[in-house]
Amino acid sequence: AFSKADDLVDKINKWFPGCQTFFNRAAMRKSDPMTSEVPVVIFVQKVTPVMTNMECYENLTIPFQVLKYKTKNVTNLFAYTEQINKQGDVKVQVNVCAFELPGILNWSEIMSDNVSFVIPPIISYLTNIQLKNMELQTYLEKLQADKFSVSMTELCMAIQGVILAAVNGGIPELKSLFINDKYKEEHPEHIQFVTELENEIYKQNQYLESLLDIHGKQNTGMKALQDELEKEFKERKKESQQTGDLTFKVPMMDKEAIKHTLQF
């Protein structure tokens, strides 16, 4: 509920004087509670809200600004994720709260934290792209309404991080890992995820094309970078699916969290 970790630590220290606070499991494992004289040890982990009660909006073309508040605030499920092996499998643990949180400053008792499951890498990649697309859609809608609503520095960093994709390898990496016949043959149960992944790439290309045009017109001092981005995007688009669906989709990991919670 606090914007900075330091603010949260200050609050915790006031509530529990003399406690020791950890923000990652590695640091907590190094600590020896049996020999420590600290009376209270508190582990803080970041969780993300699960998009519950959003199924009614699926497959509809709705401005994301209309949905944005509901996606983060009207939910009683919060998920913690942790990669568990080199293959990229991710463990998801779901905290079920007593009631839906109508705002980030409210508190709710956790009624259960027993729901946990493992998702394969393709669901993790798909979810990340879906969330990124929501971010890009938000930028585009803001700029279409008011061209000064987003700084060009912020926009440049956002589209550069997607198009150049130095960290995760971008579209070629996704094709190598998932979007190929070999993967479909080995994982027939994942064909739906492959199809959705291809569609999310198509959707992302539509947002990037419009944002690149805005960036080129409003950020004229970055022509060299703009030319490089346009060149890379042209190749990216040529390698991607050319038709698709721009409607709203609940992120795949959120769907899995809801399904497993209902089954528990």
Side-chain angles (χ1 to χ4, degrees), residues 152 214-224 226:
M152 287 300 101
I214 294 171
H215 181 265
K217 291 176 180 176
Q218 292 186 217
N219 200 10
T220 54
M222 302 287 286
K223 188 177 184 308
Q226 177 72 19

Side-chain angles (χ1 to χ4, degrees), residues 176-195:
S176 171
L177 291 173
F178 310 116
I179 307 175
N180 56 72
D181 292 337
K182 184 174 183 291
Y183 185 83
K184 292 178 183 179
E185 290 172 4
E186 293 177 351
H187 303 278
E189 73 280 10
H190 292 172
I191 289 178
Q192 173 199 353
F193 304 142
V194 175
T195 300

